[in-house]
Amino acid sequence: MTNSHDLVVIGAGPGGYVAAIRAAQLGLNVGVIEKESRLGGTCLRIGCIPSKALLESSELFHETKHSFAGHGIVAKEVALDLKAMLARKDGVVDQLTKGIAGLLKKNKITRYEGLGRFTGPGAVEVVAADGKVTALTAKNVLIATGSTSATLKGIELDGDKVGTSTEALSWPAVPGHLVVIGAGAIGLELGSVWCRLGAKVTVLEYLDRILPANDAEIAKDAQKVLAKQGLTFKLGVKVTGARATKDGAVVEIEGQQPITCDRVLVSVGRKPHTEGLGLDKVGITLDPKGRIPVDAHFRTAAAGVFAIGDVIPGPMLAHKAEEEGVACVEHIVTGYGHVNYDAIPNVVYTHPEVAGVGKTEEELVAAGIPYRKGAFPFLANGRAKALGQTDGKVKILAHKETDRILGVHILGPRAGDLIAEAVAAMEFGASAEDLARTCHAHPTLAEVVKEAALAVDGRALHI
Ligand code: NAI
């Protein structure tokens, strides 16, 4: 039996399932192939969503122990039920994956469970877990197979003590000493979770700074705040090996004594997932970083084959993949479809959060672009004071001559929500003056954004 579709999407992560929904809205007959029984990809099953559930729970635990007294709340005998915390996280994931199955159904999208691979131009087959093969034909195929955790030479992942984010989302007990390799988003988020739950956490980073993709000043501020929370940072450290031992694990470092610990989280980046797709059957070759080359409309070297998300160049972010998926199918159907790569926010969900959009200060300096800078601290904001969360600041970078906003960087409470205003402003080509003249409700954290915009012109009001 052959099943024919206008579009077959391989991979039901945020990039793939969103593209499928948009394509169905535009009238295409769509099929989605996913190898996992639960839809939603890495983000939903073993990434963004479960980590945010644990970040929320662990922060509440930490606040109950450390912040409640300051609010005049006496909480005695606060105890951790890790099993219940992990079960709650699994429940959140479960609800959301079922929600996606419902969305596919509502949009009359055919779902195929199994591994998708090309057999030739316009021909794809689905290999189910029981070996059953279903042949599909498609006018268009969209590759949205995402990424998997990268590792380093010398690291022996054992799926338990020396693990990636997948294992670190489900460890059954709080490690006495956790060593995190890599100070990117994953290392800091999951390092924070286990630190709040009581682990001693040591973060090893090869570079001389944390969060290499973020604005350096904000990253430095974030490091100070996280260090106060108990994370120990060792920067400029090259990890050469890690393995499980009888009692725990050991991490080897170039030129230094090895560190013995209870568990290791390897968070040194992710790599595109293209194995087993049969790309050779349609003449697609990967770039040196293992990514699928595409043009501005996500077209690969093969006619009728497109790719989006983590398998193509750019930041490996769920929302970037979603935007690309929508733009890709809109272009297929309407001839129009665009992603503005200058306005893609990134958020690190530590406490406080780190968020940014546009150019960092280092990028502006390197490119020789003249800019003015305005910054405003949460310490001078009424709502932040009332919340008891005054660490951090908003920093706005605007072009020196035109005042157009070029970058916004935030360390602070709810930075991930606050950055949306900056992204919208940049999408509209706003100047710092536009933001400064926009009425912001009082008392809100968003007033810090307004004050930073005023500060670009040297006229912040509350400092
Ligand atoms: P990352 O690429 O953000 O950071 C990895 C870090 O490991 C870098 O700072 C790198 O210098 C360091 N490193 C590499 N080799 C090392 C060595 N031998 N010794 C010590 N340090 C070493 O990778 P991460 O955190 O694993 O995240 C993977 C991807 O997933 C990223 O693209 C990230 O943006 C995305 N992600 C995004 C999240 C968010 O938006 N909140 C959350 C989680 C992941």
Side-chain angles (χ1 to χ4, degrees), residues 396-450:
I396 298 183
L397 305 166
H399 196 283
K400 196 170 177 184
E401 276 112 43
T402 65
D403 197 38
R404 192 183 182 117
I405 300 169
L406 302 172
V408 178
H409 305 280
I410 308 176
L411 168 71
R414 298 283 164 194
D417 295 311
L418 295 176
I419 201 72
E421 176 184 6
V423 179
M426 287 179 72
E427 280 287 3
F428 286 110
S431 62
E433 185 71 17
D434 288 328
L435 268 190
R437 288 190 179 273
T438 302
C439 180
H440 288 65
H442 176 75
T444 59
L445 297 168
E447 287 174 288
V448 182
V449 177
K450 179 187 170 96

Side-chain angles (χ1 to χ4, degrees), residues 292-337:
I292 299 176
V294 289
D295 69 6
H297 299 302
F298 311 102
R299 289 180 287 219
T300 67
V305 180
F306 304 79
I308 56 151
D310 289 6
V311 287
I312 68 167
M316 290 181 164
L317 299 169
H319 45 277
K320 177 251 192 194
E322 286 184 37
E323 295 300 322
E324 289 178 340
V326 168
C328 176
V329 297
E330 286 186 348
H331 190 265
I332 292 172
V333 179
T334 68
Y336 302 97

Side-chain angles (χ1 to χ4, degrees), residues 52 152 181-187 189 204-207 212 237-239 267-270 316-317 347-349:
K52 261 81 270 177
L152 298 167
I181 308 174
I186 294 182
E189 289 180 6
L204 308 177
E205 167 58 48
Y206 178 69
L207 301 172
V237 168
K238 186 174 177 188
V239 172
S267 47
V268 293
R270 298 181 60 82
M316 290 181 164
L317 299 169
V347 182
V348 184
Y349 297 85

Side-chain angles (χ1 to χ4, degrees), residues 108-196:
K108 301 189 174 49
I109 295 164
T110 313
R111 178 180 166 188
Y112 299 95
E113 198 172 321
L115 268 168
R117 65 182 183 212
F118 288 96
T119 49
V124 176
E125 63 182 20
V126 188
V127 186
D130 62 5
K132 188 173 158 254
V133 177
T134 309
L136 311 181
T137 57
K139 284 187 203 140
N140 302 286
V141 180
L142 175 58
I143 305 169
T145 44
S147 59
T148 52
S149 299
T151 184
L152 298 167
K153 220 174 115 211
I155 292 188
E156 296 170 28
L157 293 170
D158 73 340
D160 180 24
K161 288 179 192 158
V162 181
T164 64
S165 48
T166 306
E167 289 78 32
L169 286 166
S170 298
W171 282 328
V174 180
H177 183 193
L178 166 66
V179 169
V180 175
I181 308 174
I186 294 182
L188 297 189
E189 289 180 6
L190 289 174
S192 291
V193 164
W194 292 107
C195 178
R196 292 169 193 165

Side-chain angles (χ1 to χ4, degrees), residues 256-269:
Q256 290 188 29
Q257 285 299 313
I259 303 179
T260 53
C261 56
D262 299 289
R263 287 191 184 273
V264 180
L265 164 62
V266 183
S267 47
V268 293

Side-chain angles (χ1 to χ4, degrees), residues 68 85 92 148 212 235 241 278 287 304 306 315 341 356 363 382 389 417 422 436:
F68 273 26
M85 196 179 277
V92 171
T148 52
L235 305 182
D287 75 9
F306 304 79
Y341 288 99
E363 284 169 342
Q389 295 176 23
D417 295 311

